[in-house]
Each structure stands twice: as structure tokens, then as C-alpha cells.
Amino acid sequence: MAHARTMVAMVAVLVATVTGCSAGGASDPGAVGRTPAPPSTTAALTAAERSLLYDAEQTLVQQCMRRHGFSLAKVPERPVPEHRDFPYGLDDAAWAGRHGYGSDLQRRAMKLRASDPNRRYARSLDAGRRAEAMDALHGRTPNALSVKLPTGREVSRSDEGCTARAEDELYGDLAAWFRAEAITQALSIARQAKVVADPAYTRAVDRWSICMRGRGLAYPDPAAARARFLDGSAGASWAEERRTALAETKCAASSGLTSTAARLSSRYGDALRAEHSEVFRERDRLAREALPRAWVISD
């Protein structure tokens, strides 16, 4: 039975589509026709391997949706390749010189979303078919699998639909993969929260703010500076954005913000990984064991 869902929800699902919990994108262009090496159980995945897993998962979801009678285009792993995250402050002067705080990349991403083939396809479906497509993609039991995060919050997902089937086929154990990815992603967010709450970081931010004021730029922290140019406020020129971004990189270096954030991120990351070593090992094992299957799927 079709559920009553909005057009906005359907578009969001089709645009976000099969990114799931995997970290990757387009397959390794040199992978076709090669015999995959036996997976290591300890080495970290390379960017190419993560991309291979991403592409394989998208391929499986796309094939599944076609079997259900729906069209689904693959979503690029990195629609705007130049985009980068700077969670503790902008520290790359070359990047800042080209993109400021990234408003140009933000506009490009918005244009790509507006012209996305999945968005156009969603709009072509009537309400009933959109609901059927949503069911086919995500299933009808959204809380079938649940995981309690280290923060105490519980997250859940469906064990039905093309997304679940693809992850189960690729990783061999949907429940284990969901648990490992949900917890390790939550720990990554926790690491950032610990860094920005650390007194050493807040002192470095204070020094950064003093440095920025000395350049005629009154911002309490890097987040406020970034928001000035990325939140859609009118009146911010490209020249001002670029000047502010470049000033931020200089102040991030001279105030010790960059080095402090790097040191704290490493410290808290190592501590969280040691505390939750079992779940990190499980995630890495599942990803490693999925690689031979991904080679076959993406070949």
C-alpha cells in the first residue's frame, strides 16, 4: 500500500539516493579486467578502494530499482570535487585564494542539484508512483534495525528496499555494517565536538579572533566568519570573501589554531578508536571483505 509522502521527500531520497553509509564514489578507472588482490585485514582503505565500494553499492541499488520498474541515475561521489571541509578553521591559503570560503562551490552544487536527473524523474511521477518508488528504495519498515550510539542516542533504519539489499549483498551482513558505520560516524562527530570544547582550542580561537580584529575583521570564531559568506546573506562581495578567507588562514597559523586543532584531533581520535577498537575493526573487516565483491559488481 502506497504511503502519502511529499514531493520534497521523494526528491530528497532520489537525489541523495544510494550514498548510504559507504564512503566512496566513482570506480577505479583502471579496475576493469584486473584480478583483485586478496584483501588485507589491517591496512586502511585507499581512496580508490572507498570509491570502488561506493560505485558498487550505487550499481546494486540502480539495478534493484530497475527491477522494480523505476529509473535511477548514479550520483557522483564528489559532485563538486574541489569542495573541502575545514571543521576547525580555514587553513589552506591556496584554496582560500581560489574559493574564498567556497561560496562559488556552493552555488555550483545548487545548480547541479537543480538539474539532477533524479530530481527531474521524481517530478515526472505521480504521487502514487513516487510513494511506490520510495518504498522500493527504502522499504516500509523504517525502524527494523536499531543501534544505540555511544552518546546514548538510538538510530534506526529499514532492512528492506533496494538500499538495504545492496548493502547486505555488498557487505555480507547488513545489521553488522549498519552498526559499525553508525557508531564510527558518530564517533567522528564526537571527536570534533571534543576538539572544539577543549580549553586549548578555545584559547587558540581567542588568539585567532584577536589576530582577525587586528586586520579589521571582527569575528569571534571561524564558524562565524564562514557563515558570513555561506548563509545566503546579501551584501557580501567576492573580494571581501576572499580577503577574509586569506586573513583567516594567516591567523590560523600565527595563533596556533591550526596546530592546536591537529594535535587535539589526533589525540581524541586515537583515544576514541582505542576505546571502541572492536567496532572499528568490524567496520574495516566488512569493508575489506566487500572489496572482491565490489570488483565483480563494478567490472
Side-chain angles (χ1 to χ4, degrees), residues 42-64:
T42 56
L45 264 63
T46 66
E49 288 170 333
R50 291 193 299 271
S51 293
L52 177 64
L53 292 174
Y54 179 91
D55 183 71
E57 186 177 328
Q58 290 223 8
T59 297
L60 289 171
V61 175
Q62 184 182 56
Q63 292 171 348
C64 178

Side-chain angles (χ1 to χ4, degrees), residues 215-236:
R215 296 169 178 268
L217 301 165
Y219 293 103
D221 52 49
R226 181 171 59 250
R228 168 74 175 85
F229 301 98
L230 298 183
D231 67 358
S233 299

Side-chain angles (χ1 to χ4, degrees), residues 191 264-274 280:
R191 171 178 50 81
L264 293 174
S265 182
S266 178
R267 178 197 303 170
Y268 286 120
D270 290 346
L272 287 169
R273 192 174 184 101
F280 279 99

Side-chain angles (χ1 to χ4, degrees), residues 274-292:
E275 182 181 353
H276 302 276
S277 59
E278 177 273 330
V279 74
F280 279 99
R281 283 196 300 270
E282 179 73 348
R283 184 201 62 182
D284 294 346
R285 179 187 69 79
L286 290 167
R288 279 274 155 209
E289 291 179 356
L291 284 173

Side-chain angles (χ1 to χ4, degrees), residues 83-296:
H83 171 76
R84 289 177 57 190
D85 288 320
F86 296 94
Y88 309 117
L90 188 53
D91 58 8
D92 187 329
W95 192 93
R98 290 192 299 272
H99 303 294
Y101 282 97
S103 64
D104 59 332
L105 305 179
Q106 184 172 267
R107 288 191 296 272
R108 194 194 308 175
M110 291 174 66
K111 289 180 180 178
L112 288 172
R113 284 195 294 271
S115 62
D116 184 82
N118 289 324
R119 183 181 294 266
R120 291 197 303 270
Y121 177 68
R123 289 172 177 163
S124 75
L125 301 175
D126 62 33
R129 286 290 284 168
R130 284 196 297 272
E132 290 173 8
M134 197 124 174
D135 285 341
L137 189 62
H138 283 311
R140 301 181 183 182
T141 54
N143 301 316
L145 297 176
S146 295
V147 173
K148 191 169 185 179
L149 302 178
T151 58
R153 176 170 170 253
E154 192 170 288
V155 295
S156 59
R157 63 162 298 169
S158 176
D159 62 352
E160 300 174 342
C162 289
T163 302
R165 291 193 190 100
E167 292 182 19
D168 190 50
E169 181 175 344
L170 182 59
Y171 295 102
D173 187 332
L174 176 63
W177 177 248
F178 172 55
R179 175 181 180 273
E181 271 292 85
I183 292 175
T184 54
Q185 287 182 4
L187 291 172
S188 178
I189 296 170
R191 171 178 50 81
Q192 292 187 16
K194 287 177 178 292
V195 170
V196 300
D198 192 286
Y201 180 82
T202 57
R203 288 193 296 270
V205 168
D206 289 342
R207 295 192 298 270
W208 174 93
S209 184
I210 292 170
C211 175
M212 291 290 279
R213 284 201 301 273
R215 296 169 178 268
L217 301 165
Y219 293 103
D221 52 49
R226 181 171 59 250
R228 168 74 175 85
F229 301 98
L230 298 183
D231 67 358
S233 299
S237 70
W238 162 245
E240 182 185 359
E241 177 181 347
R242 183 175 182 273
R243 180 174 75 89
T244 305
L246 285 169
E248 175 168 329
T249 65
K250 292 181 173 62
C251 287
S254 65
S255 66
L257 179 61
T258 298
S259 58
T260 298
R263 183 179 71 255
L264 293 174
S265 182
S266 178
R267 178 197 303 170
Y268 286 120
D270 290 346
L272 287 169
R273 192 174 184 101
E275 182 181 353
H276 302 276
S277 59
E278 177 273 330
V279 74
F280 279 99
R281 283 196 300 270
E282 179 73 348
R283 184 201 62 182
D284 294 346
R285 179 187 69 79
L286 290 167
R288 279 274 155 209
E289 291 179 356
L291 284 173
R293 293 189 285 271
W295 279 79
V296 175

